[in-house]
Amino acid sequence: MQKEFNLAIVGLGGMGNWHRELIETIDGLTVCGSYDIKEERQQFARDHGITPYDSLDALLADPDVDIVLCSTPNDVHKEITIRALRAGKHVVCEKPVAMSSQEHLEMMKAAEETGKVFVVHQNRRWDEDYLTVKKIYEEHLLGDVFKIESRVHGSRGIPGDWRQEKEHGGGMVLDWGVHILDQALQMIPEKVQRVYASFTNVTNEICEDGFTVELTFESGLVYITEVGTSNFINLPRWYMLGQNGTAVVKDWDLSGEIVRVTDWSKNDAVPIRTAAGLTKTMAPRTEDTIRTEPLPVVHSDIRDFYRNVMDTINGTAQIIVKNEEVNRNMRLMEAIFRSAETHQSVSFE
């Protein structure tokens, strides 16, 4: 019989409450309490039937707490995680796991010393748009892929909270980059040879409110990741180019398509007329040489993240989000900051 677990939330803000709502739908896992430094969030807990602890010490001292969820601003992840591990608790930590790869190594060491499960909530490995594009890549539906573009665009700037404050780990690299870069590293089973990054500071001079990163993998595949917060017309969420076709995922709703070549032998092109002349090079292919197909949509269940955590604690599974992978992603983000600061490409692996 599987053990049932009690989880306490440290930091009952937007993400902390998202976890609360999710956990309410997962068998074998219960939110038993929470702690937040803001009284209004303590009251929020009471209003939703959760017992608020008076302090972090009180939460960690409760023997009924099995798992601690750390969903605070980034700069205190390390302290809270290490304290929880040393108090005998398993820990789920929100992303980014820490302010640096070195801090993360210290957290990993504490987990090893205590023998407790410590996992980072890289939840966007369960995004269906990502899983769909990953399937297209892994099944070679476009032939050899030579370029992938992954973009997240919005038009509201950096959220008006700690995410725009450098000392708390603000900025779009640590906020959204940690997700789409993790997706890149999970999708492409190769080393990253070169990194080139540029930042934007349209709405915020302290932290980057957008970035463009070009990763060159060892096979030569170029993977572009981009986050923008001043984009009033969004580019597609995904754009993948292969030798035999192209795939596009336009938005989170998985609208999009695949277009593949069916007949390479018919190469005659009817010139198209532009304002300044004719071109065959950019003339579209005729319909008898291509086929348009729907996306091979992959469905997922984000609750599998917590199910995996519980199974790992029970000794019946291995953790999906491995700390070695998380640390690699942290080191990649540090390379991105170096590239943006020096305006040069940098080697990575």
Side-chain angles (χ1 to χ4, degrees), residues 99-296:
M99 298 287 280
S100 69
S101 60
Q102 182 57 45
E103 282 193 356
H104 180 220
L105 289 176
E106 295 175 40
M107 298 157 82
M108 291 170 63
K109 182 179 179 182
E112 182 180 357
E113 291 172 349
T114 59
K116 295 299 178 180
V117 171
F118 161 49
V119 61
V120 182
H121 187 235
Q122 290 286 172
N123 54 308
R124 295 202 175 273
R125 293 190 186 187
W126 280 263
D127 274 355
E128 294 183 347
D129 58 289
Y130 157 70
L131 293 173
T132 297
V133 171
K134 188 170 184 281
K135 178 182 176 70
I136 294 170
Y137 173 80
E138 291 178 342
E139 296 187 0
H140 302 283
L141 299 184
L142 306 178
D144 289 337
V145 171
F146 58 89
K147 191 174 186 180
I148 300 172
E149 300 178 12
S150 169
R151 291 184 170 88
V152 178
H153 284 165
S155 58
R156 297 180 179 275
I158 300 178
D161 56 13
W162 56 266
R163 289 174 179 82
Q164 57 182 297
E165 298 170 353
K166 200 72 173 177
E167 63 270 24
H168 295 307
M172 285 296 105
V173 172
L174 290 176
D175 187 40
W176 260 103
V178 68
H179 284 308
I180 62 177
L181 292 163
D182 180 68
Q183 290 177 342
L185 296 180
Q186 289 298 301
M187 188 186 306
I188 312 300
E190 302 174 13
K191 292 181 178 180
V192 178
Q193 290 191 331
R194 305 292 296 177
V195 178
Y196 182 75
S198 60
F199 292 172
T200 60
N201 295 90
V202 179
T203 63
N204 191 300
E205 290 297 326
I206 299 173
C207 298
E208 76 285 351
D209 59 12
F211 67 82
T212 302
V213 173
E214 182 177 295
L215 307 176
T216 303
F217 285 86
E218 58 186 347
S219 66
L221 185 152
V222 173
Y223 197 120
I224 294 173
T225 61
E226 183 174 271
V227 171
T229 58
S230 295
N231 299 68
F232 293 87
I233 300 176
N234 295 348
L235 292 175
R237 173 69 185 90
W238 294 94
Y239 189 65
M240 179 181 285
L241 301 171
Q243 290 180 333
N244 298 327
T246 300
V248 62
V249 179
K250 297 177 183 178
D251 212 332
W252 307 105
D253 62 2
L254 285 166
S255 58
E257 61 190 5
I258 294 175
V259 176
R260 291 199 282 182
V261 171
T262 57
D263 190 342
W264 282 107
S265 65
K266 297 179 180 179
N267 292 321
D268 291 339
V270 177
I272 59 173
R273 185 178 298 276
T274 70
L278 301 177
T279 175
K280 279 190 174 183
T281 305
M282 299 306 164
R285 281 190 166 271
T286 55
E287 290 297 321
D288 60 337
T289 66
I290 56 174
R291 181 171 65 244
T292 300
E293 304 169 358
L295 296 169

Side-chain angles (χ1 to χ4, degrees), residues 18-46:
W18 180 90
H19 283 270
R20 179 191 68 82
E21 293 176 342
L22 179 72
I23 290 168
E24 286 180 351
T25 70
I26 301 174
D27 293 337
L29 186 60
T30 301
V31 175
C32 64
S34 66
Y35 172 68
D36 198 290
I37 61 173
K38 296 181 178 179
E39 174 53 34
E40 61 264 31
R41 301 312 295 174
Q42 296 282 78
Q43 185 59 48
F44 178 89
R46 296 185 193 98

Side-chain angles (χ1 to χ4, degrees), residues 59-72:
L59 183 153
L60 296 180
D62 188 344
D64 291 333
V65 174
D66 303 301
I67 304 170
V68 170
L69 166 66
C70 179
S71 56
T72 63

